[in-house]
Amino acid sequence: MEKTEDHFEVDDIPQRSWGRTDPLVVTIPARRMKKDKDAKASEEWAIEGTLIDIGSSADILFYRTFKDMGYNDVDLKPSAYIHGFNKAITKPKGEVIINMPLGEIEMQVTLCVVDVESPYNMLLGKPWLHGIKGVASTLHRCIRFPMPSGIGEIAGDTERAKSCNQVDVKNYEGRAKKRKI
């Protein structure tokens, strides 16, 4: 996860990226927030299938993933509506705060939990990306961010991106067809 360059070069572009328009999908480490200072070590996960959406003004955890992580509805805090998600006004189930350790840095992230169908497990947008002072490149298939010892990097998962994108497109086409009917 550590890199020495603080910029992107043409030579950094994976050969398979030329001509591809797949989304940037990564695996993000996450840790449950301790409820009190005397709590034992917290649970840790690697959240695969995380979509990086630099156009999103919200960080989203899908309800299915929330439940898979062992959370219960009582762990949710109230949340505001999300305008424009899935081309609709979406009422979230609530919000949850989790820690995300990224190399030498650790960040607390407030995730809006929504119960909608998605091939992704989590969606991270501008709040998270700006929080880590990161730069995402779909062409380079990675995210780079500053750490005390240099530049950290999270590599994209090209195969997962391709499969999630295919499912997402298929789901969207199915919803569009239903609306026409």
Side-chain angles (χ1 to χ4, degrees), residues 13-138:
I13 301 170
Q15 284 297 325
R16 296 186 328 172
S17 285
W18 289 107
R20 304 245 3 150
T21 57
D22 294 331
L24 180 55
V25 176
V26 299
T27 298
I28 297 290
R31 185 178 297 138
R32 183 188 299 264
M33 295 279 299
K34 293 181 183 178
K35 292 187 180 188
D36 58 55
K37 63 181 181 175
D38 297 327
K40 293 182 180 178
S42 54
E43 289 183 79
E44 295 188 17
W45 306 274
I47 304 176
E48 298 175 345
T50 298
L51 174 66
I52 304 301
D53 182 354
I54 60 173
S56 177
S57 59
D59 296 321
I60 308 287
L61 182 65
F62 294 99
Y63 188 64
R64 164 186 45 81
T65 308
F66 172 82
K67 296 301 275 183
D68 288 348
M69 293 169 76
Y71 283 105
N72 295 305
D73 288 358
V74 296
D75 297 315
L76 292 167
K77 294 179 175 34
S79 179
Y81 288 87
I82 300 175
H83 298 275
F85 185 76
N86 268 355
K87 296 187 175 187
I89 296 174
T90 302
K91 182 171 184 346
K93 305 275 286 170
E95 292 180 348
V96 65
I97 299 172
I98 62 174
N99 286 333
M100 290 185 184
L102 301 170
E104 302 163 20
I105 64 172
E106 186 160 332
M107 175 181 183
Q108 286 186 357
V109 181
T110 301
L111 297 163
C112 186
V113 179
V114 295
D115 191 7
V116 296
E117 183 181 332
S118 176
Y120 304 101
N121 291 315
M122 183 167 60
L123 181 153
L124 295 175
K126 288 183 279 192
W128 175 79
L129 197 57
H130 291 181
I132 65 167
K133 299 175 179 70
V135 176
S137 173
T138 55

